[in-house]
Amino acid sequence: MSNAVKTIGVLTSGGDAPGMNAAIRAVVRTGISNGLNVKGIRRGYAGLLEEDIIDMNNLSVSDIIQTGGTILYTARCLEFKKKEYQQKAAEICRKHGIDGIVVIGGDGSFNGASRLSEQGINTIGVPGTIDLDIACTEYTIGFDTAINTAMEAIDKLRDTSESHERCSVVEVMGRTAGHIALWTGIASGAEYILTTEKYHGDIQRIISKIQDRRKLGKKNHIIVNAEGVGNSAEMAKIIEVATGVETRATILGHIQRGGNPTCKDRVFASAMGTMAVELLCEGKSNRVVGYKEGEFVDFDIQEALSMSKDLDPYLFHITHKLTTR
C-alpha cells in the first residue's frame, strides 16, 4: 500500500448528523492545502458503487459550516457487506484515482471503511452520529446539537404540561444507546429518565412517583424515554389510567437530526476532518479519529469496533438525586 496519497475522497454514510458539513468542509480544504485532489462521493457506499463521484474545490464547501444534514447526501448500503461489492468499490476508487477515503459515519460505516482498507484503499473514519454510541470516543459529531434540540423541545412541552397539569412522556432518539435521553433528561429537569441500558419495565415505580408528587402539589411531570425503550404511547395510556393524570406522548423523532449545528459540533467536526486528512498524508489507513481526555486521537478501526461503551456512570448516578424531590 503506497504512502503517497494524491487524490482523496470523502463520503458520509448512515444516519445524518449536524456538523457533517463542517467535517466535509475541513476534509476538502485541508486536502487542497496539502496539495491533494479531493473528490466527493455522494450517497455513501451506495453512491461509490454507482460512481456518483464529483470533483470538489474550496468553493464547493463555502457557506456550509452552519448547515445541518450533509451536502454529499447519505444512504445505507447492505450490499457493501459482501466482499464482491467491496472489491468493486476498490476498483472504482482506482479507476477515479482515489487512493484515500475519509468516511464520516458510525460503526457500520467504519466496518465498510475497514473492508476498503483490506482492498488497498487507505481509509480514515470520522465519528458522525447523534447517538454518541461509538465506544472509542467521548464525542461524536451531531450529539451536542441533538441534545440541545431535544432539550429545547422538552422545555416547551414543560410549559404546556404545566398549563394543563399534565404528564408528558417524551421519546428521544437512541435505539441502542441512552446518551441522548440521559443528557436531555438531566438538562430539562425530567422527573424520570428511561434508557435502553437501565430501564427494565418497572412502570409501577413511575406511577407511584407521579402519585406521590401529585399529593405534594406538583402540577406537571416529564418522563424522558429513549427510543430503544419505546412504547411511549402505550406507556402514556397506562400512566393516565393508573394515576388519573392526563398524559400525552410526544415522539421528537428526526427533528433531532436536523438544524444548525452548535458551535461545539462545528469546531470539533472541523478538527476531526482535518486530522483525518493529516493521517492520510502520513500514510495511515484503517484508523478512526476520536476524542479522549481532552485530546483528538486515533485508533485502529477494528480495535475501536471491539470496544464497548455504557452510560456515563456519574451522570447516571446523579439522576437518582436530581429526580428525587
Side-chain angles (χ1 to χ4, degrees), residues 101-168:
I101 289 184
V102 176
V103 174
I104 305 166
D107 285 349
S109 305
F110 295 163
N111 265 312
S114 188
R115 300 289 83 81
L116 265 182
S117 181
E118 291 172 359
Q119 298 298 323
I121 306 299
N122 292 13
T123 57
I124 306 293
V126 172
T129 168
I130 67 170
D131 291 334
L132 194 65
D133 59 350
I134 298 175
C136 70
T137 182
E138 296 168 3
Y139 165 84
T140 60
I141 294 170
F143 176 71
D144 191 62
T145 305
I147 57 176
N148 276 282
T149 297
M151 179 189 69
E152 290 168 7
I154 295 169
D155 286 348
K156 291 177 172 64
L157 282 168
R158 173 81 76 178
D159 293 342
T160 189
S161 291
E162 174 71 19
S163 297
H164 291 270
E165 302 181 62
R166 285 177 181 156
C167 173
S168 288

Side-chain angles (χ1 to χ4, degrees), residues 69 96 108 147 167 177 199 222 245 255 260 263 270 278 287 311:
H96 288 266
I147 57 176
C167 173
Y199 179 63
I222 298 290
V245 177
I255 67 164
N260 303 108
C263 180
S270 297
E278 290 174 344
R287 309 293 292 180
L311 298 175

Side-chain angles (χ1 to χ4, degrees), residues 271-285:
M272 286 180 158
T274 297
M275 185 173 183
V277 175
E278 290 174 344
L279 289 171
L280 286 174
C281 290
E282 293 169 9
K284 303 285 182 64
S285 182

